[in-house]
Amino acid sequence: MYSCPSNSKVWSHLPPPIFIKDHCFPSKYIMATSRFFMPPSASTWNKSKVSLQRVNITSNAIQKTVRFSVINCSLKINLHAQPALNGEIRVPSVIKEMENEEITSLSVAGRLVKGGLVFQQDVSVRSFEIDSEYKMSTKAIMNYLQEASLNYAKKLGLTIDTCFGITPGMRKMDLVWVFRGMHIEVDRYPCWGEVVQILHWTCASGRTGVRFDWTINDINTGETQVRASCLAVMMNKNTRKTCKLPEEVKDEIKAYLRVDVEPIVEVFRYSCPQIEAMDHIKTGLTPGWNDLDVNYHVNNAKYLDWILESTPDSIRDRHELWKINFEHRKECLKEDVIQSLSRVIPNNEKNRGIEVDHDLRLESGHQILRARTVWRTIPTPAGASPA
């Protein structure tokens, strides 16, 4: 067993190297050069060493290759020997191959369950995804829902490489997915550091679209924290108009569409108020480059920012979003200028929360989105006294 030279500047800030018989493998090469290498569990790492079993050695005039196996996977390492201190052979190794279904599947986040009809992905709530209350923001929730949908399509092999959730049939007809309506209900917001599990599945929805359903659950207790459902339809990239779901695309995805499954969120219907009834208005809102998605229109989560612009501070400061209902009417592009209008709906039922109607319009007058949000009083943490 060798020891790391204490006077080496290169090694001083790195994790301890891994020593395998006559070869020294710096930890940075094992961890940084492999896209898929992750220790199966913390217990398999023993500070400065890990036990690998050598399988065989092959060599030619150009390079020498050593194959090792660890746990249930194997890896092949190219050895380029360099001069070493204290008789070591220090190897700047590049992991060429890892043959393990569970580990390589990490190249696409998540896994398929229930015969491929449900997609499952575990995520940890990170510091840049939380609000002032240390809870996952509603916008982060919306982004995770979209990410799960795209990972599901990729995991099924339906997505063409480098294309954003586009099947071969969609690419042929210049079609993309767009959300027509989205409904989200938050029972409890995940907090910073919590690990949650996203479940996602798709269902047929008439002849025009597909319904996406999600739940976000506490990974330890199984408690459902968020439920969401949306209708996705086809849009032609050239005409920018929606269209019916083509038969070719139906054939590509029908094996993964669940039937006779009710929406995970009950859709509440409401009538759009007249613009004269809106008593809170914010004008001059414009999208930035970072607000556009790969279809060059405004990302779905950006609309939430805009409807909050005209929501009264008295509601936002003392309440949290409970339910969201979006109905998209028209896409929003980079050069558009937006007006955000809202109106608080009077009601005397405490259990219903505070309801707010929202309307996003172009300055030209065209409606791009209408929405209704429901707000509830921010829950008092356990053990804390109400303010």
Side-chain angles (χ1 to χ4, degrees):
M1 186 62 64
Y2 301 95
S3 59
C4 176
S6 58
N7 61 347
S8 172
K9 294 182 179 179
V10 177
W11 290 68
S12 61
H13 65 287
L14 297 175
I18 298 173
F19 298 92
I20 307 172
K21 199 163 178 150
D22 298 328
H23 303 295
C24 168
F25 295 85
S27 296
K28 71 169 185 174
Y29 292 118
I30 293 293
M31 300 183 70
T33 61
S34 169
R35 291 180 300 170
F36 309 129
F37 187 88
M38 295 181 67
S41 67
S43 62
T44 61
W45 291 87
N46 182 15
K47 293 184 179 179
S48 63
K49 63 181 180 180
V50 63
S51 177
L52 300 182
Q53 180 182 0
R54 185 170 66 181
V55 179
N56 66 325
I57 298 178
T58 60
S59 62
N60 55 38
I62 301 176
Q63 63 181 13
K64 183 177 182 180
T65 300
V66 182
R67 292 182 64 87
F68 296 94
S69 65
V70 53
I71 313 300
N72 293 322
C73 69
S74 64
L75 60 94
K76 184 169 67 176
I77 298 174
N78 254 8
L79 303 181
H80 306 283
Q82 291 183 344
L85 300 175
N86 301 328
E88 300 170 359
I89 298 179
R90 187 172 300 166
V91 184
S93 55
V94 179
I95 296 179
K96 292 292 186 182
E97 179 184 348
M98 299 195 70
E99 298 169 343
N100 175 274
E101 181 179 354
E102 182 178 354
I103 290 181
T104 56
S105 67
L106 293 173
S107 60
V108 180
R111 62 196 67 85
L112 301 176
V113 297
K114 296 188 181 297
L117 292 176
V118 177
F119 176 75
Q120 176 182 305
Q121 180 177 349
D122 302 337
V123 298
S124 177
V125 182
R126 297 168 291 185
S127 60
F128 51 85
E129 297 167 338
I130 61 175
D131 59 18
S132 59
E133 300 293 326
Y134 293 89
K135 298 175 182 177
M136 180 184 278
S137 68
T138 314
K139 187 173 182 179
I141 289 174
M142 296 177 70
N143 286 331
Y144 269 122
L145 300 182
Q146 176 175 284
E147 183 71 8
S149 295
L150 295 171
N151 286 339
Y152 185 23
K154 193 170 183 180
K155 201 75 171 178
L156 291 173
L158 297 176
T159 300
I160 301 174
D161 289 343
T162 73
C163 291
F164 203 62
I166 297 175
T167 68
M170 291 172 61
R171 185 177 189 180
K172 188 189 306 181
M173 292 176 273
D174 287 327
L175 299 176
V176 296
W177 290 109
V178 294
F179 288 172
R180 173 58 62 86
M182 171 165 273
H183 318 283
I184 303 174
E185 192 165 323
V186 182
D187 297 324
R188 182 178 74 82
Y189 281 91
C191 297
W192 176 41
E194 284 189 23
V195 178
V196 296
Q197 186 173 88
I198 303 174
L199 297 178
H200 170 52
W201 60 95
T202 58
C203 307
S205 180
R207 296 185 302 171
T208 59
V210 172
R211 193 183 78 239
F212 294 169
D213 285 333
W214 301 265
T215 62
I216 298 180
N217 311 294
D218 186 300
I219 199 169
N220 296 315
T221 66
E223 169 200 7
T224 297
Q225 298 169 290
V226 181
R227 289 168 288 132
S229 182
C230 88
L231 174 65
V233 297
M234 299 273 98
M235 183 186 77
N236 186 286
K237 289 195 301 182
N238 300 319
T239 65
R240 314 304 290 186
K241 293 182 179 180
T242 58
C243 62
K244 292 181 179 180
L245 198 63
E247 290 298 325
E248 183 176 347
V249 178
K250 283 184 182 179
D251 291 339
E252 290 175 316
I253 64 176
K254 66 181 180 181
Y256 308 104
L257 295 180
R258 303 180 71 177
V259 295
D260 300 326
V261 178
E262 293 296 320
I264 196 68
V265 178
E266 182 180 355
V267 179
F268 52 93
R269 301 293 180 183
Y270 60 95
S271 58
C272 184
Q274 296 294 320
I275 190 170
E276 294 80 10
M278 299 293 193
D279 48 11
H280 299 276
I281 302 175
K282 183 75 172 182
T283 60
L285 302 173
T286 57
W289 280 111
N290 289 337
D291 300 322
L292 304 182
D293 61 20
V294 296
N295 297 320
Y296 290 96
H297 58 208
V298 171
N299 180 275
N300 186 55
K302 182 61 181 178
Y303 293 108
L304 179 63
D305 290 341
W306 284 338
I307 67 173
L308 294 180
E309 286 289 340
S310 61
T311 302
D313 291 342
S314 59
I315 294 177
R316 289 191 300 172
D317 293 345
R318 300 181 180 89
H319 302 80
E320 66 180 11
L321 267 174
W322 177 15
K323 301 177 183 178
I324 305 170
N325 186 23
F326 280 177
E327 291 185 17
H328 295 271
R329 319 298 287 183
K330 186 181 187 299
E331 67 176 337
C332 180
L333 305 177
K334 173 66 176 64
E335 64 276 6
D336 291 332
V337 181
I338 309 301
Q339 294 179 341
S340 176
L341 306 94
S342 66
R343 176 182 73 107
V344 180
I345 304 170
N347 77 76
N348 298 318
E349 300 179 39
K350 292 184 178 180
N351 292 335
R352 287 182 56 184
I354 300 176
E355 298 179 328
V356 184
D357 278 336
H358 305 271
D359 195 316
L360 294 181
R361 293 178 176 269
L362 301 179
E363 286 198 335
S364 61
H366 291 92
Q367 185 184 59
I368 61 173
L369 175 137
R370 69 178 185 182
R372 176 169 290 186
T373 56
V374 183
W375 301 72
R376 65 185 171 210
T377 303
I378 297 176
T380 303
S385 58

